[in-house]
Amino acid sequence: MPSQPIIFLDTETGGQNPAIHSLLTIGLVTLQDGEPTRPLHLPLRHETYNVRPEAMAVNGIDLQAHHAQAQDAEAVAQAIRDYAVEVGRVMLGGHNFGFDLAFLRPLLPDLGKVFRHGYTDTKLAAQFLIHAGVLPKSVGTPLDQLAKYFGIEYAAHDALEDARTTAQVYVKLMELVRKADEQ
């Protein structure tokens, strides 16, 4: 396992368009020595929520309960900065991570100062390993399919659970690469 920690992050949102839909929750874990540690779940409060019913059906967030426990944008952004500073300026990781980054960048405009440039994406890594013949084509690249293939327990569409599962899938993908390299 890499000695450098990686912070895995996931978001739950009110839709697919970061210019329109609300960022609702952020989940973070730190992958250190092959184990996801330091779980942090951050619900984000908005004055008004722009959400699609389809998105809310997927993420299962009750907006009233969410609003009661959520923090404003600056508090959430500062919590992410504080979380990151505890491990240093490390790389971020996620699954289909471009989606999450599109919602995260407006919240954290100093993203490049908080985290290293570049990131790891388990969906892209899995696609590469499928094309390379290291991972069977039948597995697919959705997080739930990868988790099932690797025997990882997973309850989808909770930002913290998704971040934790993504970190565990990353570990398993790295193990596959090592085994392939040894052959």
Side-chain angles (χ1 to χ4, degrees):
M1 273 298 88
S3 59
Q4 181 75 18
I6 299 173
I7 294 175
F8 282 86
L9 181 146
D10 187 77
T11 63
E12 294 302 326
T13 67
Q16 295 186 335
N17 186 337
I20 298 171
H21 300 116
S22 301
L23 171 58
L24 300 173
T25 62
I26 301 168
L28 302 102
V29 297
T30 301
L31 182 65
Q32 180 73 56
D33 300 323
E35 293 294 324
T37 62
R38 303 175 61 238
L40 180 63
H41 189 252
L42 298 167
L44 182 61
R45 180 184 305 127
H46 300 272
E47 292 301 316
T48 57
Y49 293 89
N50 191 343
V51 299
R52 295 179 50 107
E54 302 86 7
M56 301 312 287
V58 169
N59 66 38
I61 294 173
D62 174 319
L63 281 180
Q64 275 191 319
H66 170 88
H67 189 80
Q69 64 184 13
Q71 300 176 351
D72 66 39
E74 187 47 47
V76 169
Q78 190 56 50
I80 294 169
R81 290 181 193 105
D82 293 344
Y83 182 92
V85 80
E86 290 180 24
V87 292
R89 193 164 171 258
V90 299
M91 185 168 61
L92 277 172
H95 189 83
N96 194 29
F97 202 46
F99 177 86
D100 301 290
L101 286 172
F103 279 89
L104 187 61
R105 283 186 176 112
L107 175 70
L108 204 63
D110 57 343
L111 186 72
K113 293 179 183 170
V114 178
F115 298 100
R116 292 182 121 168
H117 293 282
Y119 57 88
T120 188
D121 187 323
T122 52
K123 181 174 181 145
L124 295 175
Q127 287 173 336
F128 175 81
L129 293 176
I130 288 169
H131 289 289
V134 175
L135 192 61
K137 289 180 184 177
S138 61
V139 175
T141 60
L143 187 57
D144 62 335
Q145 290 178 23
L146 290 165
K148 183 178 178 182
Y149 176 77
F150 290 121
I152 298 168
E153 285 188 39
Y154 176 50
H157 302 298
D158 169 271
L160 183 55
E161 175 69 5
D162 290 357
R164 181 195 62 79
T165 301
T166 300
Q168 291 176 310
V169 164
Y170 178 84
V171 169
K172 296 295 188 181
L173 292 172
M174 296 302 290
E175 288 172 1
L176 282 179
V177 169
R178 277 192 204 86
K179 285 178 188 172
D181 190 43
E182 291 171 0
Q183 294 178 355

